[in-house]
Amino acid sequence: MRNNLQLSQYSGKFSTPITANQGMFNHVAKPAADYGAQLVVDPSFELLRQVEYWLREEYEDFCSGFYCNWDILQERFNNGQLFTFVVEAKCVGFICWYGSSRVKFVDIVEVMPSMRRRGVGRLMIEMSLEVFGNCGTAVISLECPFFA
């Protein structure tokens, strides 16, 4: 069963610019709207493969990340409960959720390591909340027991 949401993708602007930290110099990168940022609520198999690639790389390099939950991601993808976040045609994050039409539980939010600390995760959540709200969801639960 694929995603039963009415929207195929959501495009929007970042509420703040993406910032990049390069050594001791912080500079503001171009706003995400210039990147063509999208929350894709019905991702393709190719986007899932991109997620698998960088999750596996993160796990092999740092023994961290959500590759250990790959079976959950595949199940959520098959059930239409996976959103991906795409910047410049590249998947840089994802959100896994489950629940009913009125109540959603967001249990995994992950951002590609090279895109972290730039507000991407917050924006994915904000855009997801908007999509859920537009589809009639009344309650959304998000729990993050791990702090990076």
Side-chain angles (χ1 to χ4, degrees):
M1 176 175 145
R2 296 295 292 152
N3 203 322
N4 59 359
L5 296 174
Q6 298 299 312
L7 305 172
S8 63
Q9 60 182 313
Y10 175 84
S11 298
K13 296 181 179 179
F14 281 95
S15 55
T16 58
I18 295 177
T19 59
N21 183 353
Q22 295 183 346
M24 70 173 98
F25 302 104
N26 290 330
H27 71 278
V28 176
K30 55 185 182 173
D34 295 343
Y35 288 106
Q38 296 179 317
L39 180 73
V40 181
V41 301
D42 193 13
S44 66
F45 188 72
E46 171 57 31
L47 288 174
L48 183 67
R49 288 292 149 231
Q50 289 180 30
V51 169
E52 181 184 25
Y53 176 81
W54 57 260
L55 282 178
R56 184 182 307 213
E57 187 175 70
E58 180 182 25
Y59 181 77
E60 290 171 354
D61 291 348
F62 306 108
C63 291
S64 66
F66 286 101
Y67 187 70
C68 60
N69 294 321
W70 181 245
D71 58 333
I72 294 171
L73 272 70
Q74 288 179 308
E75 178 183 332
R76 298 291 165 74
F77 174 79
N78 291 333
N79 291 333
Q81 299 170 328
L82 175 76
F83 293 167
T84 56
F85 193 73
V86 177
V87 174
E88 293 184 343
K90 184 176 181 181
C91 183
V92 299
F94 66 89
I95 294 176
C96 288
W97 58 273
Y98 63 96
S100 67
S101 62
R102 302 285 293 156
V103 179
K104 303 281 193 287
F105 299 91
V106 176
D107 58 345
I108 300 176
V109 178
E110 176 82 357
V111 175
M112 175 186 280
S114 64
M115 294 296 289
R116 291 183 185 153
R117 313 294 302 166
R118 300 176 185 202
V120 171
R122 181 185 66 190
L123 182 60
M124 283 194 311
I125 292 294
E126 289 173 358
M127 294 170 87
S128 296
L129 293 176
E130 186 171 338
V131 169
F132 288 145
N134 289 339
C135 294
T137 301
V139 177
I140 301 165
S141 174
L142 169 65
E143 184 175 332
C144 184
F146 176 76
F147 299 98

